[in-house]
Structure formats: C-alpha cells, structure tokens
Amino acid sequence: MSSDGTDVRVDYTRVFTQAIDRLHAEGRYRVFIDILRNKGMFPNARCFAGHNGPKPITVWCSNDYLAMGQHPKVIEAMEEALHDVGAGSGGTRNIGGNTHYHIDLEHELADLHGKESALLFTSGYVSNEATLSTLAKILPGCVIFSDELNHASMIAGIRNSGCEKRIFRHNDLAHLEELLAAEDPSVPKLIAFESVYSMEADIAPIAAICDLADKYNALTYLDEVHAVGMYGARGGGISEQEGVADRLTIIEGTLGKAFGVMGGYIAADQTIVDVIRSYAPGFIFTTSLSPVLVAGVLASVRHLKSSSVEREGQQASATLLKTMLDDAGLPVMMGDTHIVPIMVGDPVKAKRISDILLAEYGVYVQPINYPTVPRGSERLRFTPGPSHTPVMMRELTDALVEIWSRLELRKAA
Ligand SMILES: *Cc1c(COP(=O)(O)O)cnc(C)c1O
C-alpha cells in the first residue's frame, strides 16, 4: 500500500490479460487448429475443432511440402532406429549424444551442398539464431546486411550478436550495394538472406548478391529453408539449381519442411563449422536430436537426392492451382515458386475466410498475420504438394469464389 492507502503493487494478471486483449482488438489473436494427419492419405487429416468427433479436412498449409513425413522409406527407417537404439539421444553432442546417425547425416548434408562440413541443430530456427549470433561475435566489428523480409530466426540471431546491422530493401541489389559501399573496407561484413521467401513466393538474385559479396569482400549466409529438397537436381535448393552453391559461405536449411521430419543445419567449410560447433551456445547446451528423427531425415535426404518425382509433382500442382485461382479472378500472387499466397490485406477478413473454409468446406488454411508478414499484407498461403489432386483444387477454388462474393472481397485487378 502507498501512504494514501491505494494499492500500488503490480497487478500481473491484468498486464498479461491486456497483452492478450490487444491481439484480440487487432484481430490477430492466434488460434491453433487441433488436427491429426492420416498417414498414407495426406493431405487428408482429421480436425478436432467441432463438438461431434473429428471431422475430415484437407490440409492446404503444411510445410511438409513433398509429403515426405509419410514416405514409406522414412517411416521404416524411423521404426528400425527406434527398435535398434531406443527413443532419445541421451545427451548433448559433447556428452554422450553424438550418435553415428548424426555423423552420417552431417556427411550427407555437406555432400548435398558440395561443402566440406555440415552441422545439425534441433531446428532451423536454432540453426539461424545460433550461427548468426556466434559468427558475428567471432568477427570483431562485423556489420550484418540483412534483407528486410528475413525470417524471425535470422533477425533473432543478428540481434543477439549485438553487432551493427543494415537492412536492405527486399531483394534490392542497388540498395544493398549502396549500404555495402558506405562501410569501411576494413570491417568484416556478412550478407544474410533467403533463397525462396516463403510469404512472398519470390526468389533472391543469389548470383548477383554473391557478385556484390566478392566486390566488397563480404561473407554470405543463405537460408534455403523453403528450397532444400524441392529445387536442384538433388534437392540442394536454389543454389544448386543455379549452380552457385560454391559461391556461398554458409547455406542453412531445415529438416522439418520438405524433408518431412525435424531439425536444422548449416553447411560450410570445415573451419566455419568447427567455430560454430565450438562456440555456439544454441548448439552446445542442448540435447541432440533423437536418433529416430535423424534416421528418418537420412532416409528422406537420400531419397530426394535421387528421386525427382516428388519435386516435379509439387511444381505441377503449384502451377495448376495458381492457374485455377487466377482464372477465377482471385488475387493470387503469381510467383516462380511452389508457394501460392492470396492477398487479403486485413487480419479480421483473413481469419474470417479461414474460419468459413474450415467450418463449411473442410479446407484448412491458416491466416497469416503480423508479425509473420507486415501489417496490411495479411494473406492466406496455400502450399499444394504432389498429393493434392486437381479435384481438391477445383473444390478449393469454388469455395474461395463463393466466399469472396459472400464477403464482398476485392477480386484481382
Ligand atoms: C520455418 C523457417 C525457419 C525455421 O525452421 P524450423 O526448422 O521450422 O525451425 C527458418 N527460416 C525460414 C525462412 C523459415 O520459414
């Protein structure tokens, strides 16, 4: 109590409740949909949103882009590993958790990108955060050049490095060069960017960014999370497809999206990998991935190195869906990638469309709101894969057309 008798103590519950209320007021409170995927039948799944038992749905927003999460080779490898060595790794890489599966997978990933070495992390998020924050700390005075649309995990790594950063406009080479040229030639520089931007569905000019890196003596860090497994003859990403992998200092990827399981990694030359392995807290002080997961990833990476059926199926599905949505006059963003976003531009409407799709049409697509995308650019993001059929696409398109007219939404120009 204060001297006049009013209660001045912090009301913690009130602060937390107000934080949640702000999200509701903006229409961007996040509701997680409760589902179970049906192995062997994906994108079919069951949804537990209603009251009378699970309802069948079609999943349109999964990052298991190639349905590798249900591939028989992956399942079999995981079952075998479980029966052979049990559930968990039992430790950090340094203390008891360095299994032969981890070593094999790192060799496989280094080979995938034509690099000397690779290093596993528990997720793509951790690989970005741990690598960027550690790298920039090791380089005194380092300045990081970061694309304005970089993923939250890269932003966290850059922030935690404590170093200077310069944000360049999305995929804008002239702006990047202007910022590079303004720095002292003697300071260490690192350019951090993505190949496929998963919310925009566009691709960075990798070779041209490498040219700038050469000119200004900068290191390059490329997040290929939304490309590994899906682009390049062996699934090495856009850098493989464009023949520029050897020009990049570090390539980062996830094992949880197209590879269908879980984990993250970097691939680089041996010295850099050794530095991150030796200095990054996010690598050192955490239990290594379960060998069961690693065995599944190994099977997935090996399969996608030699099979292009899944990649071709995905590209065909994406092209077909984009054409159908565009023909129907829906404001689809026509990129060169497998991702199919429809711009809504309002968080409340994006959520409303998503709610109707799920409740009335059994279509599951999550609305994408701030801070995942900038405010005013809220959207629906569809990720058709090799197992989405033309019939499913027709149903989706018809449903969207009906909802667009019911809610009087803006059609394509
Ligand atoms: C999903 C994502 C990550 C994080 O990968 P996880 O394995 O899911 O942690 C990193 N970068 C980008 C661009 C992503 O979209």
Side-chain angles (χ1 to χ4, degrees), residues 113 219 332 379:
H113 297 292
L219 302 179
V332 58
R379 63 198 69 175

Side-chain angles (χ1 to χ4, degrees), residues 31-283:
V31 180
F32 299 158
I33 305 300
D34 180 356
I35 65 170
L36 283 176
R37 308 200 297 166
N38 302 328
K39 178 171 76 73
M41 306 263 290
F42 180 75
N44 293 312
R46 288 155 279 167
C47 177
F48 294 84
H51 315 286
N52 27 0
K55 163 184 157 165
I57 57 166
T58 308
V59 179
W60 278 102
C61 56
S62 175
N63 284 333
D64 184 0
Y65 291 119
L66 303 177
M68 290 305 289
Q70 65 181 14
H71 195 284
K73 285 186 189 170
V74 174
I75 306 295
E76 198 187 299
M78 294 182 75
E79 282 174 349
E80 239 173 59
L82 180 63
H83 290 291
D84 192 20
V85 302
S89 79
T92 63
R93 289 293 290 277
N94 188 40
I95 309 178
N98 186 43
T99 81
H100 197 63
Y101 292 100
H102 292 77
I103 295 164
D104 273 355
L105 180 56
E106 285 173 346
H107 285 144
E108 205 65 66
L109 293 168
D111 169 76
L112 178 64
H113 297 292
K115 299 287 182 198
E116 288 173 5
S117 272
L119 192 67
L120 284 174
F121 297 82
T122 46
S123 74
Y125 187 102
V126 173
S127 64
N128 275 335
E129 195 285 326
T131 305
L132 285 169
S133 63
T134 302
L135 205 63
K137 276 192 192 127
I138 296 284
L139 293 163
C142 183
V143 178
I144 299 187
F145 300 80
S146 174
D147 187 287
E148 67 178 334
L149 294 186
N150 275 345
H151 189 260
S153 53
M154 279 198 271
I155 295 169
I158 294 166
R159 189 167 291 146
N160 295 344
S161 75
C163 72
E164 289 281 320
K165 63 169 187 291
R166 308 280 178 263
I167 312 294
F168 60 95
R169 287 190 293 274
H170 178 54
N171 284 347
D172 186 334
L173 290 166
H175 191 213
L176 173 59
E177 175 151 28
E178 191 184 309
L179 295 173
L180 283 164
E183 293 304 325
D184 186 325
S186 71
V187 306
K189 302 178 186 70
L190 173 67
I191 306 171
F193 63 116
E194 302 179 21
S195 58
V196 171
Y197 284 83
S198 82
M199 295 298 156
E200 307 306 302
D202 62 357
I203 297 176
I206 302 176
I209 290 178
C210 290
D211 291 342
L212 288 177
D214 290 345
K215 185 169 170 191
Y216 294 92
N217 189 34
L219 302 179
T220 49
Y221 183 98
L222 179 64
D223 175 319
E224 285 253 44
V225 161
H226 290 281
V228 289
M230 293 173 278
Y231 295 86
R234 301 195 309 154
I238 303 289
S239 57
E240 183 194 11
Q241 180 170 289
E242 297 184 352
V244 293
D246 62 320
R247 299 190 64 193
L248 293 150
T249 317
I250 298 176
I251 295 175
E252 182 272 345
T254 184
L255 307 169
K257 291 176 183 171
F259 290 126
V261 189
M262 192 181 179
Y265 67 93
I266 56 164
D269 72 27
Q270 204 262 328
T271 315
I272 289 180
V273 168
D274 207 14
V275 161
I276 303 304
R277 184 187 75 89
S278 308
Y279 283 94
F283 172 80

Side-chain angles (χ1 to χ4, degrees), residues 346-357:
D346 178 285
V348 177
K349 285 180 187 159
K351 171 90 169 65
R352 179 101 178 91
I353 300 165
S354 157
D355 287 346
I356 296 176
L357 281 170

